[in-house]
Amino acid sequence: MLAAGAAAAALALTATACGQGDEGAAGPGASAAASAPTADPRISIPADIRDKLKQHGIDLDKWKHGEWKDWDRDQWLRQAQDFVNPVIKGLWDPGRMRRAEQTPQQPVQPHDLTGDQGVTDPEPAPVQAREAATPYAASVPVEGKLFFDGPQGSMVCSATVVTDPAHPGRSNLVWTAGHCVHAGKDGGWYRNIAFVPSYNDKGLPASALQGADRQDLAPLGVWWADWAETSQQWISEGSETGGKGSPFDFAVLHVEPESGGSGRSLQETVGAAAPVDFDAPAVPDIPRITADGYPAAAPFDGQRLFQCTDRPGRLSLDVSEPTEYRIGCTMTGGASGGGWFAAGADGKPALVSNTSIGPVSAGWLAGPHLGKEAQGVYEGVSRRFADR
């Protein structure tokens, strides 16, 4: 227990290793490669939210033409009902997507996690991450990269296409980590959140992507989040370091194609969607879990999809909160939000967690057990779009 606690003291949310673009921190007057793209004429923001945004001094038309870069913490919306993410065509061009791979240089401050943290198994041995077979669209069609903007610049996570109970076979739902869409207790919703399924489908190295076009990096298109939900626990407790809120670090997005698309859903476009298991077996009854992700911090470059498979153990950071899954894995920041899979009741793979936290030095990852809170978030997004 003490050894595990000492190891856990180096915890940091892998969001701290998500990439920051070389455009510098976004702020008033900041120049960005995004200034040229034009806003999509479609307005997908509900009228009540538009009115609420106006009360905060935010004009959507100005927002879509660049005002989103002017981060004001007094206007950084925090509540679940305040999510706003209008489509800005061409914002995530190949150069901007590649620049989002870079990692921030600020040091991570570990949180003191001494004492009895509940049920915690010995730290697992590191499992070397292996690259997924290419093309990714054939081997792991449900995985992709998530791009978003924060006060520090452009950042990345990983995400998974999941089924939608309201639209069987035609899902537009994406699963990721809460910290990939919302900054937690000290911030609000990130901006310009977009999902790219099968990013860099051929697995080309970074050196071969300098002149890549959008088709090379986003062969199945760019899908913008028109809604996102995470747990209230993450919004009220979540923190960049120390693992606070990590047992509830999950989120569900509803997405739409950037350019209107062909009428096909995300699931139809990628050819698959993962079922979500909210009643996964206890750790001793799970022989193996496979985690997917696009690790971006060294020694990885963020351009390729990797996987780790290991028998899970347990990690508890707070005896009053749910115990998390933990596996050995050398993936680094950028893998945050990537899906964790185990055999479901029917023997087929089902999503049982997502990458949430890991030590600064890498070696293992932990993710939340998906219970009633996660199911509530998932079903809430599904119901919101049931009639669309």
Side-chain angles (χ1 to χ4, degrees):
M1 290 289 295
L2 290 176
L11 277 180
L13 278 177
T14 51
T16 62
C18 287
Q20 174 181 335
D22 58 6
E23 298 162 1
S31 61
S35 59
T38 58
D40 193 309
R42 292 172 296 153
I43 298 296
S44 58
I45 308 302
D48 59 333
I49 295 180
R50 290 176 63 88
D51 292 341
K52 188 168 186 178
L53 289 171
K54 288 181 179 179
Q55 295 174 13
H56 283 270
I58 296 175
D59 184 299
L60 275 184
D61 292 329
K62 293 180 180 178
W63 174 302
K64 294 197 293 182
H65 286 87
E67 194 174 77
W68 60 265
K69 297 191 291 293
D70 298 336
W71 287 84
D72 183 339
R73 287 186 177 273
D74 292 335
Q75 296 181 344
W76 195 5
L77 305 183
R78 299 194 69 255
Q79 302 302 315
Q81 65 269 24
D82 292 334
F83 179 77
V84 57
N85 195 54
V87 173
I88 304 176
K89 281 187 177 180
L91 177 68
W92 292 109
D93 60 27
R96 201 164 191 272
M97 284 193 281
R98 289 196 304 273
R99 285 192 293 272
E101 309 309 323
Q102 300 184 31
T103 53
Q105 300 301 311
Q106 65 267 26
V108 175
Q109 300 298 321
H111 182 76
D112 184 9
L113 297 174
T114 59
D116 184 1
Q117 304 297 327
V119 180
T120 297
D121 293 321
E123 181 177 328
V127 171
Q128 190 65 41
R130 68 184 190 281
E131 186 178 357
T134 55
Y136 303 145
S139 65
V140 196
V142 295
E143 289 300 323
K145 288 190 70 169
L146 195 71
F147 295 87
F148 53 100
D149 285 306
Q152 309 302 317
S154 301
M155 305 169 75
V156 293
C157 273
S158 301
T160 307
V161 183
V162 293
T163 57
D164 181 354
H167 297 285
R170 303 192 73 251
S171 176
N172 284 307
L173 301 187
V174 174
W175 192 283
T176 189
H179 74 258
C180 296
V181 300
H182 193 286
K185 65 178 182 179
D186 293 327
W189 295 101
Y190 292 125
R191 302 181 178 184
N192 303 325
I193 301 172
F195 175 66
V196 178
S198 296
Y199 174 84
N200 187 20
D201 188 41
K202 299 176 183 177
L204 299 175
S207 59
L209 293 174
Q210 293 302 314
D213 59 24
R214 220 181 197 207
Q215 181 63 28
D216 291 325
L217 295 183
L220 299 176
V222 176
W223 297 71
W224 283 69
D226 54 8
W227 192 252
E229 287 191 23
T230 186
S231 67
Q232 287 298 328
Q233 291 92 334
W234 175 257
I235 289 176
S236 62
E237 302 173 14
S239 176
E240 286 188 350
T241 60
K244 294 293 291 182
S246 59
F248 304 98
D249 185 18
F250 41 75
V252 178
L253 312 176
H254 184 276
V255 299
E256 61 178 350
E258 178 177 282
S259 301
S262 61
R264 290 162 58 87
S265 66
L266 176 61
Q267 179 177 358
E268 291 170 308
T269 299
V270 305
V276 186
D277 190 349
F278 297 104
D279 191 26
V283 164
D285 298 325
I286 301 179
R288 65 184 59 82
I289 281 179
T290 296
D292 299 329
Y294 283 84
F300 304 96
D301 60 17
Q303 304 298 337
R304 293 172 293 169
L305 178 63
F306 283 81
Q307 300 176 308
C308 287
T309 299
D310 193 21
R311 187 179 186 94
R314 294 165 290 189
L315 175 68
S316 177
L317 306 181
D318 186 327
V319 68
S320 68
E321 294 189 337
T323 297
E324 299 178 67
Y325 296 118
R326 180 164 65 164
I327 62 171
C329 185
T330 60
M331 284 198 290
T332 59
S336 286
W340 289 30
F341 296 88
D346 59 1
K348 298 179 181 179
L351 188 140
V352 297
S353 187
N354 55 261
T355 297
S356 174
I357 55 176
V360 178
S361 58
W364 57 264
L365 299 173
H369 182 279
L370 306 181
K372 62 180 182 180
E373 294 86 0
Q375 187 170 8
V377 169
Y378 172 74
E379 293 179 349
V381 178
S382 177
R383 285 195 300 268
R384 185 179 185 88
F385 292 89
D387 297 329
R388 302 188 195 182

